[in-house]
Amino acid sequence: MGLKTALKLAITGNVIDFAVGYSPERIEEDVKAMLKEELYVDNSDELFERPEKARTLLYLTDNCGEVYFDRLFVGALKKSLRG
């Protein structure tokens, strides 16, 4: 999985978590639809090059509902840093 895809999944987790009255039955179709979308504001290139220069990375999550998607992103980021 590429970093951009993993980032979109982390964003998708936040969107799903934010939605009031969200139906869990729609998760698969919504995730697929959101992955096809372009980011409205895309600073991901800068985001992806900064950890290469850092000694420590702190990634904050706000609740357990979307942590699954966040873990995918952090895993992809760690993998990219290892080369």
Side-chain angles (χ1 to χ4, degrees):
M1 171 184 325
L3 279 174
K4 181 78 79 133
T5 300
L7 175 63
K8 285 182 176 183
L9 285 171
I11 292 169
T12 298
N14 281 286
V15 170
I16 290 170
D17 184 53
F18 184 72
V20 175
Y22 187 79
S23 172
E25 294 82 25
R26 294 184 12 216
I27 288 177
E28 184 177 353
E29 66 187 67
D30 288 347
V31 167
K32 288 178 180 178
M34 288 184 212
L35 285 176
K36 292 178 185 174
E37 296 289 324
E38 293 300 320
L39 298 175
Y40 181 73
V41 175
D42 188 355
N43 296 318
S44 59
D45 290 336
E46 182 181 351
L47 173 69
F48 298 150
E49 67 185 38
R50 284 186 179 216
E52 294 173 1
K53 300 173 185 173
R55 291 184 12 220
T56 303
L57 177 65
L58 175 65
Y59 187 89
L60 300 174
T61 60
D62 59 354
N63 66 38
C64 65
E66 71 230 18
V67 74
Y68 174 78
F69 296 100
D70 291 328
R71 288 183 64 177
L72 291 172
F73 176 64
V74 170
L77 187 57
K78 285 170 67 175
K79 184 178 179 180
S80 76
L81 293 173
R82 283 188 230 132

